[in-house]
Amino acid sequence: QVQLQQWGAGVLKPSETLSLTCAVYGESFSAYIWNWIRQTPGKGLEWIGDINHSGSTNYSPSLESRVTISVDTSKNQLSLSLKSVTAADTAVYYCARMNGGWQRFDYWGQGSLVTVSS
Amino acid sequence: DIQMTQSPSSLSASVGDRVTITCRASQSISRYLNWYQQKPGKAPDLLIYAASNLQSGVPSRFSGSGSGTVFTLTINSLHPEDFATYYCQQSYNRPRTFGHGTKVEIK
């Protein structure tokens, strides 16, 4: 049974760096592409970026200047770093597995609420 | 970026009703269209992928159709547990983009 478990700081001040980690259990890490997605009431679901097991990344153009996604294959973990956060980065952040040629998100983490407030 | 437009944004329906949700892409995405169901406080769950393929474990009352720019999600005979928000998402290219959701509420 595939499980994605995520964690990280929940409250940040403006200009700080958001850091989240997602651990993958029950499945081969190297066979898939791993994603970060966030959700806000205003903008809805927003794709942040993805990474494969070798560390090759793709980012959303709107966040590319501030975001870094990395992997630790020895631990089956992926991480998200978003620097210089503002209130607009307040959201629930999800990690998700992208599967197959049709590239659907078939497994998701439980979500992490990150609040940016002074 | 490919824009995904869902309609309606919300609807009210009764148990047993048939419900149809439409998703339009701003350009052709072939069949690279996925549907998700989300309940409050939970992550989205994959229902349909590649426009019409039912994800394993999803009840057969859910179905999807379409290709190119227009897609539909149909729920036949709405069950109480189907009251939720539904999202479409294109996987044709990056950045991956989602519709803004359709909230299905109890009439």
Side-chain angles (χ1 to χ4, degrees):
Chain A
Q1 177 72 358
V2 179
Q3 290 188 6
L4 281 65
Q5 186 172 349
Q6 52 184 106
W7 65 89
V11 180
L12 297 171
K13 293 185 179 346
S15 80
E16 292 185 333
T17 297
L18 179 158
S19 292
L20 296 173
T21 300
C22 173
V24 178
Y25 302 99
E27 184 56 86
S28 168
F29 193 79
S30 61
Y32 301 93
I33 294 176
W34 304 92
N35 293 252
W36 287 100
I37 296 162
R38 69 182 183 179
Q39 186 172 29
T40 61
K43 293 186 71 175
L45 289 160
E46 181 182 15
W47 179 78
I48 298 170
D50 64 38
I51 191 167
N52 66 13
H53 69 281
S54 63
S56 177
T57 55
N58 296 281
Y59 299 127
S60 170
S62 65
L63 296 169
E64 187 166 19
S65 62
R66 298 192 292 131
V67 68
T68 302
I69 298 175
S70 58
V71 288
D72 184 338
T73 54
S74 68
K75 296 181 180 178
N76 275 16
Q77 292 178 359
L78 65 153
S79 296
L80 171 69
S81 174
L82 182 66
K83 61 184 181 183
S84 305
V85 297
T86 70
D89 296 310
T90 294
V92 177
Y93 287 76
Y94 296 100
C95 55
R97 187 180 85 168
M98 190 166 71
N99 187 9
W102 293 102
Q103 302 185 359
R104 68 270 197 188
F105 300 122
D106 62 347
Y107 285 95
W108 296 64
Q110 79 275 21
S112 299
L113 174 61
V114 176
T115 302
V116 181
S117 174
S118 56
Chain B
D1 299 3
I2 298 174
Q3 307 303 314
M4 306 302 294
T5 304
Q6 283 183 241
S7 60
S9 56
S10 65
L11 63 90
S12 295
S14 301
V15 172
D17 284 354
R18 184 183 192 207
V19 166
T20 299
I21 299 167
T22 300
C23 178
R24 287 181 168 82
S26 60
Q27 68 179 71
S28 177
I29 57 171
S30 183
R31 295 176 59 82
Y32 287 88
L33 190 284
N34 308 311
W35 289 99
Y36 302 86
Q37 176 194 69
Q38 187 178 33
K39 296 181 179 178
K42 300 294 186 182
D45 284 326
L46 178 65
L47 295 175
I48 302 279
Y49 66 94
S52 61
N53 291 272
L54 203 64
Q55 174 69 357
S56 175
V58 173
S60 59
R61 63 181 179 273
F62 291 92
S63 63
S65 65
S67 66
T69 62
V70 182
F71 303 86
T72 59
L73 172 70
T74 299
I75 312 172
N76 283 301
S77 188
L78 207 59
H79 281 42
E81 60 268 30
D82 301 336
F83 292 97
T85 302
Y86 295 84
Y87 296 92
C88 61
Q89 175 250 328
Q90 64 82 14
S91 55
Y92 181 78
N93 65 10
R94 295 178 176 90
R96 315 299 185 186
T97 48
F98 294 81
H100 277 81
T102 297
K103 188 172 184 179
V104 177
E105 299 175 300
I106 301 173
K107 184 183 287 185

